[in-house]
Amino acid sequence: HDLLDKFGDKYFDVEELVRNLDEMGPYQNVFIQEMDVINALLAEIKRSIKELQLGFAGELTMSESMEDLMMSLYNDNVPATWAKLAWPSMKSLSSWNKNLSDRFFQLEEWMNSPSDIPKVTWLSGLVNPTSFLTAICQVTAQKNQWELDKLVTFTRVTKLMSAEEIDSNSRDGAFIIGLNLQGASWDVVGSQIEKSKPKEMFCPMPV
């Protein structure tokens, strides 16, 4: 199955990563939790597909869960046992697979330099984006010796539309991407909300 070809050897060695980390801060906690979720999801994808293959080969009796998986794959739907371990999504299976690959890639990139956060974090590519926003507050509180429960997040919209345009990490807080406006559009030059453009349901926001 092409999913096994794509994800068969994919896995995050979280234990080794933790052993090699000099310091375990709030950002590291967030990304490691994300890796744990993706690992559990990939393990279920591999297990269920291999089980289905054994059913096709006649080595296992086809169960109801195996038939459900077969129908989901045939209809390009995300199987229920996978969706249960993943993030909320209404995508077709093919789009969902691409999304999973992109999420995996972001975490893989972070693994190359786990002491830092990415220059720009794809927020909607995290299973628990709220934990990342909390981590920003925690890091800022530690850095400035402020009381955590008195901090609120402040959002500044840049005029840059892609992560590639960012040269370095934010001095305070973090750069994020992956937010969209629904039912409105964003005027990049004037930095303000406008009426939505014709036939445009979602408007991607800048960094």
Side-chain angles (χ1 to χ4, degrees):
H1 194 276
D2 58 346
L3 274 171
L4 281 184
D5 295 339
K6 196 173 186 180
F7 298 118
D9 58 348
K10 300 282 187 189
Y11 174 77
F12 292 116
D13 192 340
V14 175
E15 285 183 16
E16 186 186 349
L17 175 67
V18 171
R19 273 198 306 270
N20 294 332
L21 267 176
D22 297 328
E23 189 183 348
M24 186 78 160
Y27 289 132
Q28 284 72 28
N29 272 321
V30 170
F31 284 105
I32 284 166
Q33 284 169 7
E34 292 288 322
M35 287 176 171
D36 286 336
V37 173
I38 298 296
N39 276 346
L41 175 58
L42 289 176
E44 172 56 22
I45 289 173
K46 294 169 202 173
R47 183 207 66 76
S48 58
I49 290 177
K50 284 175 182 173
E51 183 183 65
L52 185 60
Q53 287 176 332
L54 290 173
F56 284 147
E59 294 176 41
L60 279 179
T61 305
M62 288 290 280
S63 65
E64 189 179 339
S65 63
M66 290 158 72
E67 287 180 4
D68 288 344
L69 174 65
M70 179 179 68
M71 289 309 297
S72 293
L73 297 176
Y74 178 76
N75 291 319
D76 198 26
N77 295 328
V78 180
T81 58
W82 303 3
K84 201 166 114 182
L85 295 170
W87 50 92
S89 175
M90 296 176 72
K91 290 178 182 288
S92 65
L93 179 59
S94 45
S95 296
W96 186 88
N97 285 338
K98 169 74 170 66
N99 191 259
L100 173 57
S101 291
D102 293 342
R103 287 166 186 264
F104 191 94
F105 180 73
Q106 170 162 258
L107 295 173
E108 208 171 35
E109 285 285 288
W110 174 74
M111 267 190 94
N112 295 330
S113 183
S115 299
D116 305 309
I117 61 167
K119 277 188 266 191
V120 182
T121 299
W122 175 35
L123 190 66
S124 49
L126 300 177
V127 179
N128 186 5
T130 312
S131 64
F132 183 80
L133 299 179
T134 303
I136 293 174
C137 289
Q138 289 170 332
V139 169
T140 306
Q142 290 168 7
K143 181 179 166 186
N144 299 290
Q145 296 185 316
W146 292 340
E147 290 182 51
L148 179 60
D149 58 358
K150 290 185 179 174
L151 289 186
V152 292
T153 50
F154 172 78
T155 306
R156 181 176 63 84
V157 183
T158 71
K159 296 185 188 299
L160 307 174
M161 289 306 296
S162 72
E164 289 72 31
E165 295 175 80
I166 300 293
D167 298 325
S168 58
N169 289 70
S170 173
R171 284 175 300 175
D172 297 302
F175 288 118
I176 60 165
I177 203 161
L179 302 185
N180 292 276
L181 286 178
Q182 183 177 5
S185 64
W186 183 257
D187 172 16
V188 177
V189 178
S191 294
Q192 59 187 4
I193 291 177
E194 290 185 326
K195 285 183 180 177
S196 58
K197 295 181 173 67
K199 298 182 181 177
E200 182 185 71
M201 189 176 289
F202 298 102
C203 171
M205 289 291 289
V207 175

